[in-house]
Amino acid sequence: MTAPTPPVIGFIGLGAMGWPMASCLLKAGHAVAPFDVRKDQVDRFLAEVGGTRVGSLAELGKVADVVITILPTSAIVEKVLFAPDGVAGGLRKGAIVIDMTSGIPGETVRFAEQLAKQGVTLFDAPVSGGVPRARSGQLTIMAGGDAAAIDATQSILAAMGSVIRTGKIGSGHAMKALNNLVSAGGFLIGIEAMLIGAKFGIDEGTMVDILNVSTGMNNSTQKKFKQYVMSRKFDSGFSIELMVKDLTIAMEVARAGGVSTPFAAMCREMWAGASVLLGPKADHTAVAQLSEKLAGLELHDKNG
């Protein structure tokens, strides 16, 4: 009996997150056709990691059984899918699109409805964990949408991380934005607490160590303060503009639901202000420099 042919995965977006995620798929034995608007990036990926070359998005649509997008915005996803030379025109009935972009829930619903007219299923599956967990295949994947499609692609998703189902289409993208809202708030309040302590004379490294064994512990105290802020590296691989985008999405979800969010709104405005001060392409951990300027001191790991 002939074994079934493994699905071809068209992977669109070889950025800081997409590159290691596509690499994990290849390491797990999946057939991957990588694509990025930067041809040199594709050439380098094929040479260093592997995969099957496709000449265009339209060609990718014709050969792919599953398409994964991980792109900066929903607007770019729309162009990739539905432009005259986009992916959707070539997709066969029964194909599945997994949008792993941190997207806008309402736009995700619209894309899914448009693809459904040609017998293609789209579900959203944004990720959390950053570049380190993308490299190790240990991302948290928030999947919203058609349960059968999520079931059918479970082995693909498992190569990149662990799946948590969030409910209806668009709910994964809503949850990703809300997760980043909590992360962004925790980062800012943690930095302010560190600055207060430093002014008082408490060693910065000691503060982080205490927070990490106390109730103030969060992802930023564990994985960002010493690693990116106090080291002065500011190179986590996730930009301020992408954080502001996710916070804006969270605020849009709140407004649509009629939920009053004064603290979240202030958090978003502080990040937006940092984007203007530091530049939108600055690493998101560099937002600490805004609080440092206001406090008149810098945080350093004297024992690092």
Side-chain angles (χ1 to χ4, degrees):
M1 185 173 179
T2 304
T5 304
V8 175
I9 304 167
F11 195 101
I12 305 172
L14 297 175
M17 293 292 289
W19 180 296
M21 290 165 67
S23 299
C24 284
L25 290 171
L26 282 163
K27 290 174 186 174
H30 293 287
V32 178
F35 189 89
D36 195 283
V37 291
R38 299 163 294 180
K39 185 178 180 299
D40 60 332
Q41 187 81 339
V42 177
D43 291 341
R44 191 162 67 88
F45 185 89
L46 291 170
E48 295 180 12
V49 185
T52 302
R53 184 183 296 277
V54 291
S56 65
L57 288 170
E59 182 183 341
L60 183 146
K62 292 176 182 177
V63 303
D65 302 292
V66 175
V67 173
I68 292 174
T69 55
I70 181 156
L71 299 163
T73 66
S74 288
I76 298 174
V77 173
E78 180 173 27
K79 184 176 180 181
V80 161
L81 290 175
F82 302 116
D85 58 347
V87 173
L91 289 174
R92 299 181 295 275
K93 184 176 181 179
I96 296 173
V97 176
I98 309 173
D99 186 12
M100 305 189 85
T101 303
S102 295
I104 300 171
E107 293 293 271
T108 305
V109 172
R110 183 167 64 85
F111 300 160
E113 291 173 347
Q114 191 167 340
L115 287 170
K117 295 175 183 177
Q118 63 184 82
V120 174
T121 302
L122 178 147
F123 69 87
D124 49 316
V127 301
S128 181
V131 174
R133 283 168 59 187
R135 290 174 180 151
S136 63
Q138 295 176 310
L139 292 166
T140 297
I141 302 171
M142 306 161 223
D146 187 85
I150 298 171
D151 288 341
T153 55
Q154 192 62 228
S155 66
I156 294 171
L157 297 171
M160 297 178 284
S162 301
V163 178
I164 300 176
R165 303 187 189 215
T166 54
K168 65 183 180 180
I169 185 72
S171 63
H173 282 154
M175 187 65 240
K176 172 60 189 292
L178 295 173
N179 173 76
N180 276 11
L181 172 61
V182 174
S183 178
F187 187 97
L188 288 179
I189 200 66
I191 289 294
E192 289 190 358
M194 293 277 292
L195 290 165
I196 294 168
K199 278 279 189 178
F200 189 79
I202 306 172
D203 177 76
E204 292 100 311
T206 299
M207 280 191 281
V208 175
D209 292 341
I210 291 172
L211 288 170
N212 282 334
V213 292
S214 304
T215 56
M217 176 182 62
N218 62 35
N219 178 263
S220 294
T221 67
Q222 290 180 312
K223 299 181 179 180
K224 296 179 183 179
F225 287 175
K226 284 190 177 183
Q227 295 87 336
Y228 303 119
V229 177
M230 293 161 65
S231 69
R232 314 311 290 176
K233 291 180 179 178
F234 303 115
D235 60 353
S236 74
F238 185 69
S239 70
I240 289 180
E241 72 174 340
L242 291 179
M243 181 64 87
V244 173
K245 179 202 71 171
D246 288 349
L247 299 181
T248 302
I249 292 172
M251 293 298 92
E252 290 172 354
V253 173
R255 281 192 291 272
V259 181
S260 178
T261 56
F263 180 78
M266 181 174 65
C267 176
R268 188 263 172 202
E269 289 308 305
M270 288 189 68
W271 281 88
S275 180
V276 174
L277 177 68
L278 302 170
K281 300 299 182 184
D283 192 84
H284 83 284
T285 58
V287 75
Q289 293 176 310
L290 173 62
S291 297
E292 289 176 335
K293 288 180 184 296
L294 293 172
L297 62 89
E298 290 184 355
L299 297 169
H300 293 270
D301 187 355
K302 298 178 179 65
N303 299 314

